[in-house]
Structure formats: structure tokens, C-alpha cells
Amino acid sequence: MSVKWTEEQQKVIDLRDCDILVSAAAGSGKTAVLVERILKRISDLKHPVDVDRLLVVTFTKAAAAQMRERICDAIEKKREEFPEDANLLRQSSLIHNAMITTIDSFCLFVVRNHFEEIHLDPNFRIADEGEIKLLEMDVLDELFAANYESEENEAFLRLVDTYSGKRNDQRVKDMVSKIYRMSSSSPWPKEWILGLAEEYQAKTPEEIWKIPVMELLLFNTKRLILDIRDELKELLAAAGEPDGPNRYVPVLQQDILMLEDIESCGDGRSFCDFFARLEFGRLPVIRGEQCDVQKKEAVQSKRNRIKEELKELKEKYFSVSGEELAAQLNRLRPLAEELLRLSLSYLEAIQEKKKKRRIADFADIEHFALQILVDGKTKQPRETAQE
């Protein structure tokens, strides 16, 4: 008896020639749908695809083994229906070489087979987490010791004096280590670290508000305030009900009108002006017998939460002017540049140490695989990727 797929499941199985993203809850049949999609691809009468030309990536080795087994079973069941089908017989033999694996295993496969393209020593090994941790600590200590010994490194000493505690320089070391760890999550770690310095080059308020992170802040702030406005409209509707706190209606209407001004805000200065004008009126006193007490308390509670949320947003991001931000950024720029210089030196020192010891961790393997598959300068696929 054939499986009856839902409309959404069938769409996932049949969709071709485009990128798709499927989001589904646990137990909703994702694996079964993926197996069916693969089966349809390899048994297509017009454009069949060999199963060993597909890349199927899972989170764990156990999941990969289960996926391979289920695809094998699906092919065998299909062969029972069509015993004379030569293509199915071919897929049955190719499944054992199919790339059904974890992302770590796939990257390691690419690196092991193309190490010469990035001049990598083929005798490298995957180091355990403890060994990598000790290496990172040693390199960090060596880096700081070398900078202390340097006679012309005032920027380093100023950075340490500014951010370290009275007893040691651990806080600065933690900052360098954190930037390094975050960079390892980027496709191009060195470029990511160098890119952080660009945001400190803004010198005027106008330039600061055009920094990508600030533009994102303004975008998200406007969206958040519009959501809050819609929430206030719901409170207004509740207050306007026959047994609602009707005397709250004029105040809530004024709240909504005040937040409508966010629509016209375009740059950082206008956002700061908006928050400077932000002032909520007081709700009038209502006796318990004049409305439903629970509705009154619900409106009060939600409105108070909204006020606190906007107050926190103002204090955190819009309590200073663009001119003050520019002055702060100008003071921080030399410190930030020195911190990023240290972080880049740390990254390069770790890479050099690993190279000498012929060791790597799984983050390194991912980066090696990416270097093999993609040109770092043009960001275009290399011949190996095309292959």
C-alpha cells in the first residue's frame, strides 16, 4: 500500500531546479519525505540522477547510517515492483559509495582527496579538544609576553591598562580569545576580523548611523515599535469593550498616536528625537465596580511592561546624541584597532603552530574544504567544486 503524502510533503518531494528550505516539527516525517525525494530523483524516467552524485548531510553519524539504510530499503522495495529495471539495479550497487554523511566527514573527505591544492601536509591529524585548548592558551601567553617585551608598543599597554583588572590582564586575553572563536565561525576568519575595524572608521554622527550594525539597529527598532503600537491597539480594543476600563481609551489613543511618529524616522538623529519626546500619560483612576477588574489589571500590566521595554531600549541605545557617539568612537578607535591587531596575530600564530605540529580541529577542516572549493579572492567555485 502506497504512502499518502500531505500536500506540503508532496510539494517537497516533487519540487525541482530551485533552492528549498523545509521546516517541520519532530515526528512529522522529514526523513521519510527526504528518502522519497531521493528515490524520485534516482528513479526519474527522463532525468535520473545516480545516488552517488547526491550529497546528503546529517547531524550525526548514526543519523547518516539510518538514512543510508532507509534509502537502501526504499530502492529494494522499488526493485521488487520493477525487477527488470536496470537503473534500480545500478542504484542498488552505487548506494554503498553514496555521500550520505555528516558535514565534518564530508569536509574531511574533500581535504583528504585534494590537500595538495592548498599545500596542506597530508600527514595532519585531528587533535582532540583538550590538546587544542592547551595550544590556544600557550599561544595566547606567548603573544602577550612578546608584546610586553616590545619597546614600541604603547597601544598595547594602553589597551591592557584600560580594560584589565588591577591584578592581571585576563580580561583582555578573554576579549582576544572571544574574537578568535567568533572568527572561526566565519567562512573567511581574517577578512571577518579586518572587517570589524571598518566600523570604527566613522568620524561624524552621519557616518556612524550608516554603519551596518547601526542601520540594523534602526531597522529593528522601528519594527519593534510598530509591533508595540499594534499591541497597544489590542489594549485599546479591550478597554473599549462594554465591561472594559473605558476611561483608559483616551490615554491609549494618545499612546498609539505618539508611537505613530516612528513611521517618519529615517536616520539616527530622528530616532534620538523620537525617544526624547517619548512620554506616556497617566491612566485615570477607575473604581472596581465600573469595569471588569481582571480586564483593567490586564491592560495596566501590559501597558506597564510596554513602558519598561521602551525605557530600556532608550537607555541602552538612544540615550546619547550622535555627536556624543562620534566622540566616544573617536576615543575607542585606537583601542579597538589594537585589540583587532592582537586578535589577528593570535589567529595567525595558532594557524602556524597547528601547521608545525601537523594538527587541525574540525573548524580548520571546514575552512580547508572551503579553500579547496572556493576561490578566496573572487568567492567563485574552483574547478574542484565544479567537478
Side-chain angles (χ1 to χ4, degrees):
M1 184 177 178
S2 60
V3 178
K4 288 187 177 180
W5 305 104
T6 66
E7 183 180 344
E8 289 82 6
Q9 288 174 329
Q10 194 64 53
K11 187 176 180 181
V12 174
I13 292 168
D14 296 335
L15 205 57
R16 299 287 184 273
D17 302 322
C18 64
D19 295 329
I20 65 172
L21 173 65
V22 181
S23 176
S28 58
K30 294 188 296 295
T31 303
V33 168
L34 181 56
V35 169
E36 184 66 17
R37 177 178 171 85
I38 292 170
L39 189 63
K40 284 286 185 72
R41 293 298 303 270
I42 64 180
S43 61
D44 190 292
L45 295 177
K46 292 183 178 179
H47 305 288
V49 177
D50 286 338
V51 69
D52 65 345
R53 298 293 295 169
L54 300 176
L55 171 61
V56 182
V57 174
T58 67
F59 281 107
T60 65
K61 292 181 179 180
Q66 183 188 40
M67 177 67 74
R68 186 185 301 274
E69 183 179 349
R70 293 183 69 165
I71 295 172
C72 277
D73 291 343
I75 293 174
E76 292 306 315
K77 286 181 180 178
K78 197 78 171 176
R79 283 187 62 199
E80 290 176 5
E81 293 182 46
F82 306 97
E84 303 299 324
D85 192 316
N87 178 54
L88 288 174
L89 177 61
R90 172 180 168 81
Q91 303 310 317
S92 182
S93 63
L94 292 176
I95 185 64
H96 303 291
N97 294 321
M99 189 59 69
I100 304 170
T101 183
T102 63
I103 188 66
D104 288 336
S105 296
F106 170 69
C107 291
L108 190 57
F109 170 83
V110 172
V111 174
R112 291 291 188 196
N113 286 275
H114 301 278
F115 59 88
E116 74 284 352
E117 296 182 24
I118 56 171
H119 310 293
L120 182 67
D121 190 323
N123 295 317
F124 74 89
R125 62 179 175 84
I126 305 297
D128 61 49
E129 188 175 345
E131 183 179 0
I132 294 294
K133 192 78 174 176
L134 287 173
L135 181 143
E136 290 174 353
M137 291 171 61
D138 289 343
V139 171
L140 192 57
D141 288 341
E142 291 172 5
L143 175 66
F144 271 64
N147 278 273
Y148 280 122
E149 292 172 3
S150 176
E151 295 181 358
E152 299 179 358
N153 206 342
E154 292 183 8
F156 170 77
L157 296 177
R158 185 183 170 197
L159 175 68
V160 172
D161 288 341
T162 303
Y163 289 104
S164 287
K166 295 180 179 179
R167 295 184 178 180
N168 56 51
D169 54 11
Q170 190 58 46
R171 287 184 63 189
V172 179
K173 287 183 176 179
D174 290 342
M175 292 162 69
V176 171
S177 182
K178 184 176 181 180
I179 291 173
Y180 164 72
R181 289 196 303 273
M182 292 178 70
S183 73
S184 67
S185 299
S186 167
W188 315 104
K190 290 183 180 181
E191 289 184 16
W192 184 82
I193 292 176
L194 291 171
L196 295 177
E198 294 177 5
E199 300 195 350
Y200 285 87
Q201 301 311 309
K203 293 181 174 61
T204 66
E206 291 73 24
E207 290 176 343
I208 288 174
W209 291 116
K210 289 181 181 179
I211 294 173
V213 67
M214 300 302 280
E215 289 183 334
L216 184 62
L217 169 65
L218 299 183
F219 173 81
N220 287 334
T221 298
K222 178 177 285 192
R223 187 167 60 177
L224 174 62
I225 291 175
L226 291 176
D227 287 343
I228 290 174
R229 178 202 62 185
D230 294 340
E231 194 174 350
L232 283 170
K233 288 181 179 179
E234 293 176 4
L235 297 184
L236 177 63
E241 293 176 357
D243 60 343
N246 301 148
R247 293 186 64 190
Y248 289 171
V249 168
V251 179
L252 291 169
Q253 288 175 333
Q254 188 61 37
D255 291 345
I256 293 168
L257 190 63
M258 176 176 63
L259 295 190
E260 295 284 1
D261 288 348
I262 198 66
E263 292 275 19
S264 60
C265 292
D267 57 12
R269 191 182 297 276
S270 60
F271 273 81
C272 288
D273 292 341
F274 168 84
F275 277 98
R277 298 192 304 270
L278 202 61
E279 186 173 350
F280 286 87
R282 296 187 65 178
L283 292 173
V285 177
I286 299 179
R287 303 297 178 189
E289 66 274 6
Q290 293 176 310
C291 67
D292 184 290
V293 175
Q294 289 185 338
K295 287 188 176 181
K296 181 186 77 169
E297 291 177 349
V299 171
Q300 286 179 341
S301 175
K302 290 179 180 178
R303 184 174 183 266
N304 286 336
R305 177 183 54 77
I306 286 171
K307 290 167 60 179
E308 285 299 317
E309 191 173 352
L310 289 173
K311 180 183 176 182
E312 183 180 348
L313 187 65
K314 175 183 177 179
E315 291 176 351
K316 195 170 184 179
Y317 299 112
F318 299 98
S319 59
V320 298
S321 66
E323 288 73 17
E324 290 175 293
L325 277 176
Q328 290 178 8
L329 199 64
N330 286 330
R331 290 194 298 270
L332 285 172
R333 187 178 298 111
L335 299 175
E337 289 175 347
E338 178 61 16
L339 178 61
L340 296 177
R341 182 195 69 79
L342 276 175
S343 301
L344 190 59
S345 298
Y346 183 47
L347 169 66
E348 292 172 343
I350 287 177
Q351 289 177 340
E352 185 62 29
K353 199 76 120 179
K354 286 179 177 177
K355 185 177 180 181
K356 287 182 178 179
R357 295 190 183 184
R358 298 176 182 173
I359 61 173
D361 57 23
F362 282 110
D364 296 323
I365 299 301
E366 290 176 358
H367 287 112
F368 292 155
L370 190 63
Q371 292 169 30
I372 290 168
L373 298 173
V374 179
D375 186 297
K377 293 182 179 179
T378 65
K379 303 299 186 286
Q380 294 299 312
R382 293 182 184 274
E383 290 183 11
T384 305
Q386 300 292 354
E387 176 192 334

Coordinates of all heavy atoms in Angstrom, one line a residue, residues 76-134:
E76 N 15.3 -1.2 -2.7 CA 15.0 -2.6 -2.8 C 13.5 -2.9 -3.0 O 13.0 -3.7 -3.7 CB 15.5 -3.4 -1.5 CG 17.0 -3.5 -1.4 CD 17.6 -4.0 -2.7 OE1 17.1 -5.1 -3.2 OE2 18.6 -3.4 -3.2
K77 N 12.7 -2.1 -2.3 CA 11.2 -2.2 -2.4 C 10.8 -1.8 -3.8 O 9.9 -2.4 -4.4 CB 10.5 -1.3 -1.4 CG 10.5 -1.9 0.0 CD 9.8 -1.0 1.0 CE 9.8 -1.5 2.4 NZ 9.1 -0.6 3.4
K78 N 11.5 -0.8 -4.4 CA 11.2 -0.3 -5.7 C 11.6 -1.4 -6.7 O 10.9 -1.7 -7.7 CB 11.9 1.0 -6.0 CG 11.4 1.7 -7.2 CD 10.2 2.5 -6.9 CE 9.8 3.4 -8.0 NZ 8.5 4.1 -7.8
R79 N 12.7 -2.1 -6.4 CA 13.2 -3.2 -7.3 C 12.2 -4.4 -7.3 O 12.0 -5.1 -8.3 CB 14.5 -3.7 -6.9 CG 15.7 -2.7 -7.3 CD 17.0 -3.4 -7.0 NE 17.2 -4.6 -7.7 CZ 18.1 -5.5 -7.4 NH1 18.8 -5.4 -6.3 NH2 18.2 -6.6 -8.1
E80 N 11.5 -4.6 -6.2 CA 10.5 -5.7 -6.1 C 9.4 -5.4 -7.1 O 8.8 -6.3 -7.7 CB 10.1 -5.9 -4.7 CG 11.1 -6.4 -3.8 CD 10.6 -6.5 -2.3 OE1 9.4 -6.2 -2.1 OE2 11.4 -6.9 -1.4
E81 N 9.1 -4.1 -7.2 CA 8.0 -3.7 -8.1 C 8.4 -3.8 -9.5 O 7.6 -4.1 -10.4 CB 7.5 -2.3 -7.8 CG 6.8 -2.1 -6.4 CD 6.4 -0.6 -6.2 OE1 5.8 -0.1 -7.2 OE2 6.7 -0.1 -5.2
F82 N 9.7 -3.4 -9.8 CA 10.2 -3.4 -11.2 C 11.5 -4.2 -11.2 O 12.6 -3.6 -11.3 CB 10.4 -1.9 -11.6 CG 9.2 -1.1 -11.5 CD1 9.1 -0.2 -10.4 CD2 8.2 -1.1 -12.4 CE1 8.0 0.6 -10.2 CE2 7.1 -0.2 -12.3 CZ 7.0 0.6 -11.2
P83 N 11.4 -5.5 -11.2 CA 12.6 -6.3 -11.1 C 13.5 -6.3 -12.4 O 14.7 -6.6 -12.3 CB 12.1 -7.8 -11.0 CG 10.7 -7.7 -11.5 CD 10.2 -6.3 -11.1
E84 N 13.0 -5.8 -13.5 CA 13.7 -5.7 -14.7 C 14.4 -4.3 -14.9 O 15.1 -4.1 -15.9 CB 12.8 -6.0 -15.9 CG 12.1 -7.3 -15.9 CD 13.1 -8.5 -15.8 OE1 14.1 -8.4 -16.5 OE2 12.8 -9.5 -15.2
D85 N 14.2 -3.5 -14.0 CA 14.7 -2.1 -14.2 C 16.2 -2.1 -13.9 O 16.7 -2.3 -12.8 CB 14.0 -1.2 -13.2 CG 14.3 0.3 -13.5 OD1 15.4 0.6 -13.7 OD2 13.3 1.1 -13.4
A86 N 17.0 -1.8 -15.0 CA 18.5 -1.8 -14.9 C 19.0 -0.7 -14.0 O 20.0 -0.8 -13.3 CB 19.1 -1.8 -16.2
N87 N 18.3 0.5 -14.1 CA 18.7 1.7 -13.4 C 18.6 1.4 -11.9 O 19.5 1.8 -11.1 CB 17.9 2.9 -13.7 CG 18.3 4.1 -12.9 OD1 19.4 4.5 -12.9 ND2 17.3 4.7 -12.3
L88 N 17.5 0.7 -11.4 CA 17.4 0.5 -10.0 C 18.5 -0.5 -9.5 O 19.0 -0.4 -8.4 CB 16.0 -0.1 -9.7 CG 14.8 0.9 -9.8 CD1 13.5 0.2 -9.6 CD2 15.0 2.0 -8.8
L89 N 18.8 -1.5 -10.4 CA 19.9 -2.4 -10.0 C 21.2 -1.6 -9.9 O 22.0 -1.9 -8.9 CB 20.0 -3.5 -11.1 CG 21.2 -4.5 -10.9 CD1 21.0 -5.2 -9.6 CD2 21.2 -5.4 -12.1
R90 N 21.4 -0.6 -10.7 CA 22.7 0.2 -10.7 C 22.7 1.0 -9.4 O 23.7 1.1 -8.7 CB 22.7 1.1 -11.9 CG 23.8 2.1 -11.9 CD 23.7 3.0 -13.2 NE 24.5 4.2 -13.1 CZ 25.9 4.2 -13.3 NH1 26.5 3.0 -13.6 NH2 26.5 5.3 -13.2
Q91 N 21.5 1.6 -9.0 CA 21.5 2.4 -7.8 C 21.7 1.6 -6.6 O 22.3 2.0 -5.6 CB 20.1 3.2 -7.7 CG 19.8 4.0 -8.9 CD 20.9 5.0 -9.3 OE1 21.5 5.6 -8.4 NE2 21.2 5.1 -10.6
S92 N 21.2 0.3 -6.6 CA 21.4 -0.6 -5.5 C 22.9 -0.8 -5.2 O 23.3 -1.0 -4.1 CB 20.7 -1.9 -5.8 OG 20.8 -2.8 -4.7
S93 N 23.7 -0.8 -6.3 CA 25.1 -1.1 -6.1 C 25.9 0.2 -5.7 O 26.9 0.2 -5.0 CB 25.7 -1.7 -7.4 OG 25.6 -0.8 -8.5
L94 N 25.4 1.4 -6.3 CA 26.0 2.7 -6.0 C 25.8 3.2 -4.6 O 26.5 4.1 -4.1 CB 25.6 3.7 -7.1 CG 26.0 3.5 -8.5 CD1 25.4 4.5 -9.4 CD2 27.5 3.5 -8.6
I95 N 24.7 2.8 -4.0 CA 24.3 3.4 -2.7 C 25.4 3.2 -1.7 O 25.6 4.0 -0.8 CB 23.0 2.7 -2.2 CG1 22.5 3.3 -0.9 CG2 23.2 1.2 -2.0 CD1 22.1 4.8 -1.0
H96 N 26.3 2.1 -1.8 CA 27.3 1.9 -0.8 C 28.4 2.9 -0.9 O 29.2 3.1 0.0 CB 27.9 0.5 -1.0 CG 26.8 -0.6 -0.9 ND1 26.2 -0.9 0.3 CD2 26.2 -1.4 -1.9 CE1 25.3 -1.8 0.1 NE2 25.3 -2.2 -1.2
N97 N 28.5 3.6 -2.1 CA 29.5 4.7 -2.2 C 28.9 6.1 -2.1 O 29.6 7.1 -2.4 CB 30.3 4.5 -3.6 CG 31.1 3.3 -3.6 OD1 31.7 2.9 -2.7 ND2 31.0 2.6 -4.8
A98 N 27.6 6.2 -1.9 CA 26.9 7.4 -1.8 C 27.5 8.3 -0.7 O 27.8 7.8 0.4 CB 25.4 7.2 -1.7
M99 N 27.5 9.6 -0.9 CA 28.0 10.6 0.1 C 26.8 10.9 1.0 O 26.2 12.0 0.9 CB 28.5 11.8 -0.6 CG 29.3 12.8 0.3 SD 30.7 12.0 1.2 CE 31.8 11.8 -0.1
I100 N 26.5 10.0 2.0 CA 25.5 10.2 3.0 C 26.2 10.3 4.3 O 26.7 9.3 4.8 CB 24.4 9.1 3.0 CG1 23.8 9.0 1.6 CG2 23.4 9.4 4.0 CD1 22.9 7.8 1.4
T101 N 26.4 11.5 4.8 CA 27.4 11.6 5.9 C 27.2 12.9 6.7 O 26.2 13.6 6.5 CB 28.8 11.7 5.3 OG1 29.8 11.7 6.3 CG2 29.0 12.9 4.4
T102 N 28.0 13.2 7.7 CA 28.0 14.4 8.4 C 28.8 15.5 7.7 O 29.6 15.2 6.8 CB 28.5 14.3 9.9 OG1 29.9 13.9 9.7 CG2 27.8 13.2 10.6
I103 N 28.6 16.8 8.1 CA 29.3 17.8 7.4 C 30.8 17.7 7.7 O 31.7 18.0 6.8 CB 28.8 19.2 7.9 CG1 29.4 20.3 7.0 CG2 29.0 19.5 9.4 CD1 29.1 20.3 5.6
D104 N 31.2 17.3 8.9 CA 32.6 17.1 9.3 C 33.2 16.0 8.4 O 34.3 16.2 7.9 CB 32.7 16.7 10.7 CG 32.4 17.8 11.7 OD1 32.6 19.0 11.3 OD2 32.1 17.5 12.9
S105 N 32.5 14.9 8.2 CA 33.1 13.8 7.4 C 33.2 14.2 5.9 O 34.1 13.9 5.3 CB 32.2 12.6 7.5 OG 32.2 12.1 8.9
F106 N 32.2 15.0 5.4 CA 32.3 15.4 4.1 C 33.5 16.3 3.8 O 34.2 16.2 2.9 CB 31.0 16.1 3.7 CG 31.1 16.8 2.3 CD1 31.1 16.1 1.2 CD2 31.1 18.2 2.3 CE1 31.3 16.7 -0.1 CE2 31.2 18.9 1.0 CZ 31.3 18.1 -0.1
C107 N 33.6 17.3 4.7 CA 34.8 18.2 4.6 C 36.1 17.5 4.7 O 37.0 17.8 3.9 CB 34.7 19.3 5.7 SG 33.3 20.5 5.5
L108 N 36.2 16.5 5.6 CA 37.4 15.7 5.7 C 37.7 14.9 4.5 O 38.8 14.8 4.0 CB 37.3 14.8 6.9 CG 38.6 14.0 7.4 CD1 39.7 15.0 7.7 CD2 38.3 13.1 8.6
F109 N 36.6 14.4 3.8 CA 36.7 13.7 2.6 C 37.3 14.6 1.5 O 38.2 14.2 0.7 CB 35.4 13.2 2.1 CG 35.3 12.6 0.7 CD1 35.7 11.3 0.5 CD2 34.9 13.4 -0.3 CE1 35.7 10.8 -0.8 CE2 34.9 12.9 -1.6 CZ 35.3 11.6 -1.9
V110 N 36.8 15.8 1.4 CA 37.3 16.8 0.4 C 38.8 17.1 0.7 O 39.6 17.1 -0.3 CB 36.5 18.1 0.5 CG1 37.1 19.2 -0.4 CG2 35.0 17.8 0.0
V111 N 39.1 17.3 1.9 CA 40.5 17.7 2.3 C 41.5 16.5 2.0 O 42.6 16.7 1.5 CB 40.6 18.2 3.7 CG1 42.1 18.4 4.2 CG2 39.8 19.4 4.0
R112 N 41.1 15.3 2.4 CA 42.0 14.2 2.2 C 42.2 13.9 0.8 O 43.3 13.4 0.4 CB 41.3 12.9 2.8 CG 41.2 12.9 4.4 CD 42.6 12.8 5.0 NE 42.5 12.6 6.5 CZ 43.5 12.7 7.3 NH1 44.7 13.1 6.8 NH2 43.4 12.5 8.6
N113 N 41.3 14.2 -0.1 CA 41.4 13.9 -1.5 C 42.0 15.1 -2.3 O 42.3 14.9 -3.5 CB 40.1 13.5 -2.1 CG 39.7 12.1 -1.7 OD1 40.1 11.1 -2.3 ND2 38.9 12.0 -0.6
H114 N 42.1 16.3 -1.7 CA 42.6 17.4 -2.5 C 43.5 18.3 -1.7 O 43.6 19.5 -1.9 CB 41.4 18.3 -3.0 CG 40.4 17.5 -3.8 ND1 40.6 17.3 -5.2 CD2 39.3 16.9 -3.5 CE1 39.6 16.6 -5.7 NE2 38.8 16.3 -4.7
F115 N 44.2 17.7 -0.7 CA 45.1 18.5 0.2 C 46.2 19.3 -0.6 O 46.6 20.4 -0.1 CB 45.7 17.6 1.2 CG 46.6 16.5 0.6 CD1 47.9 16.7 0.3 CD2 46.0 15.2 0.3 CE1 48.7 15.7 -0.3 CE2 46.8 14.2 -0.3 CZ 48.1 14.4 -0.6
E116 N 46.6 18.7 -1.7 CA 47.7 19.4 -2.4 C 47.3 20.7 -3.0 O 48.2 21.6 -3.3 CB 48.2 18.5 -3.6 CG 47.3 18.3 -4.8 CD 46.1 17.5 -4.5 OE1 46.0 16.8 -3.5 OE2 45.2 17.4 -5.4
E117 N 46.0 21.0 -3.2 CA 45.5 22.2 -3.8 C 45.7 23.4 -2.9 O 45.8 24.6 -3.3 CB 44.1 22.1 -4.2 CG 43.9 21.0 -5.3 CD 42.4 20.9 -5.8 OE1 41.7 21.9 -5.6 OE2 42.0 19.9 -6.3
I118 N 45.8 23.2 -1.6 CA 46.1 24.3 -0.6 C 47.4 24.1 0.1 O 47.6 24.7 1.2 CB 44.9 24.4 0.4 CG1 44.7 23.1 1.1 CG2 43.6 24.8 -0.3 CD1 43.7 23.2 2.2
H119 N 48.3 23.2 -0.5 CA 49.6 23.0 0.1 C 49.6 22.5 1.5 O 50.3 23.0 2.4 CB 50.5 24.2 -0.1 CG 50.4 24.8 -1.4 ND1 51.0 24.2 -2.5 CD2 49.9 26.0 -1.9 CE1 50.8 25.0 -3.6 NE2 50.1 26.1 -3.2
L120 N 48.7 21.6 1.8 CA 48.5 21.1 3.1 C 49.3 19.8 3.3 O 49.2 18.9 2.4 CB 47.0 20.8 3.4 CG 46.6 20.3 4.8 CD1 46.9 21.4 5.9 CD2 45.1 19.9 4.8
D121 N 49.9 19.6 4.4 CA 50.7 18.4 4.7 C 49.7 17.2 4.8 O 48.8 17.3 5.7 CB 51.5 18.5 6.0 CG 52.4 17.4 6.2 OD1 52.1 16.2 5.9 OD2 53.5 17.6 6.8
P122 N 49.8 16.2 4.0 CA 48.8 15.1 4.1 C 48.8 14.3 5.4 O 47.9 13.5 5.7 CB 49.1 14.2 2.9 CG 50.6 14.5 2.6 CD 50.8 15.9 3.0
N123 N 49.9 14.5 6.2 CA 50.1 13.7 7.4 C 49.4 14.3 8.6 O 49.8 14.0 9.7 CB 51.6 13.4 7.6 CG 52.2 12.5 6.6 OD1 51.6 11.6 6.2 ND2 53.4 12.9 6.1
F124 N 48.6 15.3 8.4 CA 47.9 16.0 9.5 C 47.0 15.0 10.2 O 46.5 14.1 9.6 CB 47.2 17.3 9.1 CG 45.9 17.0 8.3 CD1 44.7 16.9 9.1 CD2 45.9 16.8 7.0 CE1 43.5 16.6 8.4 CE2 44.7 16.6 6.3 CZ 43.5 16.5 7.0
R125 N 46.7 15.4 11.5 CA 45.7 14.6 12.2 C 44.7 15.5 12.9 O 45.0 16.7 13.1 CB 46.4 13.7 13.3 CG 47.2 14.5 14.3 CD 47.8 13.5 15.3 NE 48.7 14.3 16.3 CZ 48.2 14.9 17.3 NH1 46.9 14.9 17.6 NH2 49.0 15.6 18.1
I126 N 43.6 14.9 13.3 CA 42.6 15.7 14.1 C 42.9 15.7 15.5 O 43.0 14.6 16.1 CB 41.2 15.2 13.8 CG1 40.8 15.1 12.3 CG2 40.1 16.0 14.6 CD1 40.8 16.4 11.7
A127 N 43.2 16.8 16.1 CA 43.6 16.9 17.5 C 42.4 16.9 18.4 O 41.3 17.3 18.0 CB 44.5 18.1 17.8
D128 N 42.5 16.3 19.6 CA 41.4 16.3 20.5 C 41.2 17.7 21.1 O 42.1 18.6 21.0 CB 41.5 15.3 21.6 CG 42.7 15.5 22.5 OD1 42.9 16.6 23.0 OD2 43.4 14.5 22.7
E129 N 40.0 17.9 21.7 CA 39.6 19.3 22.2 C 40.6 19.8 23.3 O 41.0 20.9 23.3 CB 38.2 19.2 22.8 CG 37.7 20.6 23.1 CD 36.2 20.5 23.6 OE1 35.6 19.4 23.3 OE2 35.7 21.5 24.2
G130 N 41.1 18.8 24.2 CA 42.0 19.2 25.2 C 43.3 19.7 24.7 O 43.9 20.7 25.2
E131 N 43.8 19.0 23.7 CA 45.1 19.4 23.1 C 45.0 20.8 22.4 O 45.9 21.7 22.6 CB 45.5 18.4 22.0 CG 46.9 18.7 21.4 CD 47.3 17.6 20.4 OE1 46.6 16.7 20.2 OE2 48.4 17.8 19.9
I132 N 43.9 21.1 21.7 CA 43.7 22.4 21.1 C 43.6 23.5 22.1 O 44.1 24.6 22.0 CB 42.4 22.3 20.2 CG1 42.6 21.4 19.0 CG2 42.1 23.7 19.7 CD1 43.7 21.8 18.0
K133 N 42.9 23.2 23.2 CA 42.7 24.2 24.3 C 44.0 24.6 24.9 O 44.3 25.8 25.1 CB 41.8 23.6 25.3 CG 41.3 24.6 26.4 CD 40.1 25.4 25.8 CE 39.5 26.3 26.9 NZ 38.5 27.1 26.3
L134 N 44.9 23.6 25.1 CA 46.2 23.9 25.7 C 47.1 24.7 24.7 O 47.8 25.6 25.1 CB 46.9 22.6 26.1 CG 46.4 21.8 27.3 CD1 47.1 20.5 27.5 CD2 46.6 22.7 28.6

